[in-house]
Amino acid sequence: MPSREEITYFGAGPALLPTDVLKTAAEALVNFEDTGLGLAEHSHRSELATNIINTAKADLAKYIDIPDDYEILFMQGGGSGQFSATVYNLVGIWVERRRQKIIKELGTAEGADVPQDKVLERLRKAVEEELKIDYLVTGSWSLKASQEAARLLGPEHVNVAADARKVNDGKFGKIPEEKDWKLSKDPAMVYYCDNETVDGVEFPGFPEILKPSGEEGPIVVADMSSNILSRRIPVRNFSVIFFGAQKNLGSAGITVVIIKKKLLPPAVSTPEPALLRKLGLPVGPIVFSYETIAKNNSLYNTLNIFDVYIAGQVLKKALASFSDNVTGQEALSDKKAKLIYATLDAHPESYKVVPDKSVRSRMNICFRVTHGDSIADAEKAFLAGATKKGLTGLKGHRSVGGIRASNYNSISLEGAEKLAAYIDEFAKGPRI
């Protein structure tokens, strides 16, 4: 049996965790800070739990430079839960803002006493004719997010502003040019997945067309589950950023939401559930309410404090490793990705990188092995040989097949070098 030190795990998630973080967490699980209880046994209402949450929030804000006018939430339900939560919360804000606008218009026309039946009539018409959520569909996860929105609201309220399959022969692997995006006039949000783990597609940077002009701009929501903490991001361009912890931050079980405080009370009002029901709109579970989670410092219900602790330890290690915080990690991530892609590109007769070169993911390197007459046989041989060298977790997602090397932050430069060396060695070996 191989030891942990002999294995480099390239799985897409749950991903590899630093060994020293796991050892620290293992001790905390048995006896946390000499309390006689393991961390998983302590109350989430305890002072130590609050300290763990607040420290993790502060370290995350420091590491990726989150401004003070943003709130950090720890939630449950994973990224898939946020497909729903973003709809519930941001549609509600859109409805309330539209309601206030209608009241102001009617009040100007008819005096102070605004008939509520007229407000409801105008609001219902606005929902039917104007409510849209825009999705940039560039891979499997953004597609699932758009499908969930259509399930909750109805497809008439979901605008797929860009569909990568339409510019890539029915498959994912490119990002349509911004000039071709069909954005709505006043959407409740514009949603995109910054890095698609299944398809190996990553946005090179923040879309120019979505950049705010002055203080106002579209409500932009980004799923950064698989590339958060790997590069510097312009946080102020986003209204909501969310990510599951199990790629670059920690273990599966918590989801982080970074949200503008302008989208939380008292800065903004949220509609009453009764009003949403009258409008035929869904009322979300209270555990998905950003307002509720923010009011309770992420402790409305029983949060997995142990998972927050692991995330906090990962952040402390990252802060200690890079004096320039996430900028240092970005340089390392880029170096690892360039090394692996350069090795693949050096052997075009043996490998085919799946996505277009302009949108290649630094985190999920997806390719096919064409080293022989049968791709299936060649990939089987490639995976078997990799395992013998301690390079595991390389099998592609079940929906697309192929090979996928997930180059998350926990993969060392040495691990990337080992993979590149094996890619080169396999290409130079006998054809399958």
Side-chain angles (χ1 to χ4, degrees):
M1 295 290 289
S3 67
R4 182 176 180 86
E5 291 69 25
E6 295 173 308
I7 295 295
T8 304
Y9 179 63
F10 291 92
L16 187 71
L17 280 164
T19 300
D20 53 350
V21 167
L22 288 177
K23 288 180 177 178
T24 301
E27 293 176 4
L29 188 58
V30 176
N31 186 354
F32 182 67
E33 295 185 349
D34 293 325
T35 59
L37 288 176
L39 187 50
E41 299 164 308
H42 278 278
S43 170
H44 63 298
R45 304 291 182 195
S46 64
E47 183 180 354
L48 68 85
T50 299
N51 290 339
I52 287 170
I53 290 173
N54 290 341
T55 300
K57 287 168 63 173
D59 286 346
L60 177 62
K62 180 179 180 181
Y63 189 61
I64 62 173
D65 195 19
I66 301 173
D68 291 339
D69 55 344
Y70 282 73
E71 184 59 76
I72 299 171
L73 312 176
F74 291 105
M75 299 180 68
Q76 298 170 64
S80 296
Q82 291 303 311
F83 296 165
S84 307
T86 49
V87 173
Y88 292 133
N89 287 275
L90 297 177
V91 165
I93 290 172
W94 185 94
V95 167
E96 185 59 25
R97 286 178 170 173
R98 191 54 56 94
R99 188 180 78 89
Q100 294 294 338
K101 181 180 179 182
I102 291 169
I103 289 173
K104 185 177 181 180
E105 291 171 352
L106 290 176
T108 301
E110 303 182 20
D113 295 327
V114 179
Q116 293 304 305
D117 58 338
K118 286 192 175 182
V119 174
L120 182 61
E121 180 184 353
R122 288 268 302 271
L123 187 55
R124 184 177 286 119
K125 184 178 181 183
V127 168
E128 290 175 354
E129 297 179 358
E130 301 171 36
L131 174 59
K132 294 289 184 183
I133 302 181
D134 286 0
Y135 285 83
L136 308 178
V137 177
T138 56
S140 300
W141 293 113
S142 50
L143 176 60
K144 286 180 182 292
S146 70
Q147 291 170 336
E148 174 65 355
R151 188 184 73 86
L152 293 175
L153 295 178
E156 66 274 15
H157 295 300
V158 175
N159 172 43
V160 177
D163 188 338
R165 295 169 296 183
K166 293 182 178 180
V167 296
N168 197 43
D169 297 325
K171 297 180 180 180
F172 293 121
K174 291 183 178 181
I175 296 177
E177 294 184 34
E178 292 183 20
K179 66 180 179 61
D180 297 323
W181 296 1
K182 307 298 182 183
L183 297 168
S184 301
K185 182 180 179 182
D186 181 29
M189 67 178 181
V190 181
Y191 185 110
Y192 75 95
C193 181
D194 204 40
N195 183 76
E196 294 278 3
T197 58
V198 173
D199 308 284
V201 171
E202 184 176 27
F203 277 77
F206 188 85
E208 288 290 329
I209 198 171
L210 299 180
K211 285 185 176 178
S213 55
E215 293 189 4
E216 295 302 319
I219 293 180
V220 178
V221 175
D223 176 354
M224 294 190 178
S225 291
S226 52
N227 66 347
I228 195 70
L229 310 186
S230 73
R231 66 180 180 183
R232 186 165 292 279
I233 54 175
V235 177
R236 286 200 181 278
N237 289 352
F238 299 94
S239 299
V240 178
I241 298 169
F242 71 81
F243 46 96
Q246 67 272 15
K247 312 288 188 180
N248 278 332
L249 181 61
S251 52
I254 55 168
T255 308
V256 181
V257 176
I258 302 169
I259 181 171
K260 278 185 177 179
K261 291 180 180 178
K262 288 173 63 174
L263 297 177
L264 295 169
V268 69
S269 299
T270 53
E272 293 294 325
L275 175 60
L276 293 175
R277 286 193 289 270
K278 288 178 182 179
L279 296 171
L281 295 173
V283 178
I286 197 165
V287 292
F288 279 171
S289 164
Y290 295 153
E291 174 186 357
T292 299
I293 301 303
K295 279 182 179 179
N296 290 275
N297 192 28
S298 300
L299 293 172
Y300 174 77
N301 60 330
T302 308
L303 183 67
N304 190 331
I305 300 300
F306 183 64
D307 283 340
V308 180
Y309 176 76
I310 292 176
Q313 293 302 303
V314 170
L315 287 166
K316 286 192 179 301
K317 181 178 177 65
L319 286 166
S321 300
F322 301 104
S323 59
D324 50 357
N325 299 335
V326 74
T327 301
Q329 178 63 66
E330 180 174 12
L332 178 57
S333 296
D334 289 350
K335 185 175 183 178
K336 292 187 296 174
K338 287 177 181 177
L339 172 63
I340 296 170
Y341 278 123
T343 309
L344 291 168
D345 289 339
H347 300 286
E349 74 290 346
S350 295
Y351 306 107
K352 180 183 184 303
V353 177
V354 175
D356 188 75
K357 196 169 187 176
S358 63
V359 295
R360 287 178 175 180
S361 168
R362 299 163 306 119
M363 295 289 101
N364 307 101
I365 299 169
C366 298
F367 59 97
R368 304 307 301 256
V369 182
T370 58
H371 187 73
D373 297 328
S374 167
I375 291 178
D377 289 344
E379 290 179 344
K380 185 177 179 180
F382 180 91
L383 290 170
T387 299
K388 289 180 180 178
K389 292 184 176 293
L391 306 170
T392 63
L394 287 165
K395 189 175 182 179
H397 191 273
R398 62 186 180 279
S399 64
V400 295
I403 310 297
R404 174 175 56 175
S406 292
N407 180 39
Y408 297 136
N409 292 352
S410 56
I411 299 296
S412 65
L413 178 59
E414 181 185 18
E417 289 171 341
K418 287 180 179 179
L419 177 60
Y422 173 65
I423 290 171
D424 182 66
E425 175 188 320
F426 186 86
K428 293 175 179 178
R431 295 182 67 79
I432 306 303

